[in-house]
């Protein structure tokens, strides 16, 4: 090794020793630095405890905000409940009106069944009125219950007669005395039927 390399190596070794000594001095805790760090911790604790204690204004604001949120939730529940009640009342009212209209439909059918001259303009006019009436009911959601040829279902049919008939299967509706109707998903009037045993 040359002399220049020796001196640079010695200088770097001395620099490393100096930095290590400086680091040791920083890490050594003196009573003064310990007291300073304790003060910092105390001020932090005071700040934390200060945040936990709220002003009366802040407490009042939180209380009023909570009260407003609760009243808004109560109002929303009230609004939903009244909408549901309105829809229920409308359905009950519509069903009641439909029950009162169905005998008129039955009378139309009976009158058209006994008409002898189907080419008579009066009979044709009555048929058109009857079809218009059925279309109006259909638009409201009123549907006739299919009965003849289907299996007897006590949810939709009301059996008023039984007949022994081997040509038809068991529990099959063979004749309908009065049409049944449904309004949307509920039965307004059950079909009066004759059922085969």
């Amino acid at each position: 090794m040359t002399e220049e390399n020796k001196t640079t190596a010695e200088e770097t070794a001395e620099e490393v020793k100096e930095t290590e000594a400086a680091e040791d001095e920083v890490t050594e805790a003196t009573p003064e630095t310990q007291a300073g760090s304790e003060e910092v911790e105390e001020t932090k604790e005071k700040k934390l405890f200060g945040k936990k204690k709220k002003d009366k204004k802040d407490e009042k604001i939180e209380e009023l905000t909570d009260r407003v949120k609760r009243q808004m939730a109560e109002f929303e529940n009230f609004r939903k409940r009244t909408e549901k009640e309105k829809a229920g009342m409308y359905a009950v009212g519509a069903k009641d009106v439909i029950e009162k209209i169905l005998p008129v439909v039955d009378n139309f059918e009976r009158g058209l069944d006994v008409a002898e001259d189907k080419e008579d303009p009066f009979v044709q006019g009555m048929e058109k009125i009857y079809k218009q009436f059925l279309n109006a009911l259909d638009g409201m959601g009123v549907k006739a219950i299919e009965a003849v040829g289907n299996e007897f279902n006590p949810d939709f049919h009301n059996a008023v007669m039984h007949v022994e008939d081997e040509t038809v299967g068991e529990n099959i509706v063979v004749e309908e005395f009065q049409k049944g109707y449904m309004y949307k998903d509920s039965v307004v009037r059950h079909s009066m039927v004759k059922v085969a045993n």
Side-chain angles (χ1 to χ4, degrees):
M1 278 187 152
T2 62
E3 282 185 38
E4 287 180 16
N5 289 342
K6 281 185 183 179
T7 54
T8 50
E10 287 175 3
E11 287 174 5
T12 53
E14 284 178 25
E15 287 175 5
V16 169
K17 287 180 185 176
E18 287 175 8
T19 53
E20 287 177 358
E23 287 175 1
D24 289 341
E25 286 177 13
V26 170
T27 54
E28 271 183 26
T30 61
E32 294 169 358
T33 56
Q34 284 179 347
S37 65
E38 287 175 5
E39 287 175 10
V40 171
E41 286 178 16
E42 284 177 18
T43 55
K44 284 182 182 177
E45 286 178 15
K46 284 181 183 176
K47 286 181 182 176
L48 291 176
F49 287 121
K51 285 183 182 176
K52 287 183 182 175
K53 284 188 176 179
K54 296 178 184 173
D55 291 346
K56 289 186 178 182
K57 292 178 187 175
D58 292 339
E59 287 178 1
K60 190 69 173 176
I61 289 170
E62 282 186 13
E63 179 186 331
L64 293 174
T65 305
D66 184 52
R67 191 182 300 171
V68 167
K69 285 180 183 176
R70 288 176 190 270
Q71 286 180 342
M72 287 173 66
E74 285 177 19
F75 178 73
E76 186 65 23
N77 291 339
F78 169 75
R79 189 181 61 78
K80 287 179 182 176
R81 188 171 50 250
T82 54
E83 283 178 8
K84 192 175 181 181
E85 287 173 1
K86 271 192 221 175
M89 288 188 325
Y90 176 78
V92 168
K95 200 171 173 183
D96 190 42
V97 170
I98 291 165
E99 283 177 4
K100 288 180 174 45
I101 290 174
L102 290 179
V104 177
V105 174
D106 295 337
N107 289 334
F108 259 110
E109 290 172 351
R110 288 184 195 114
L112 292 172
D113 284 344
V114 296
E116 295 174 4
D117 185 12
K118 301 291 182 186
E119 299 301 318
D120 183 13
F122 179 76
V123 174
Q124 289 178 351
M126 294 302 285
E127 282 180 358
K128 287 178 182 174
I129 293 170
Y130 171 69
K131 286 179 183 174
Q132 184 181 12
F133 201 45
L134 289 181
N135 286 337
L137 288 174
D138 189 47
M140 290 172 40
V142 178
K143 307 273 186 214
I145 297 172
E146 296 296 324
V148 177
N150 292 333
E151 188 174 345
F152 175 75
N153 184 346
D155 294 332
F156 302 117
H157 308 127
N158 181 17
V160 291
M161 286 181 71
H162 289 278
V163 64
E164 296 291 332
D165 193 350
E166 294 177 4
T167 60
V168 190
E170 191 175 330
N171 257 0
I172 300 296
V173 175
V174 292
E175 190 178 344
E176 182 179 49
F177 299 116
Q178 186 180 42
K179 273 189 184 177
Y181 289 90
M182 293 184 69
Y183 172 64
K184 296 187 179 173
D185 293 331
S186 62
V187 175
V188 177
R189 183 174 76 186
H190 290 80
S191 300
M192 274 201 231
V193 295
K194 183 194 289 186
V195 181
N197 286 341

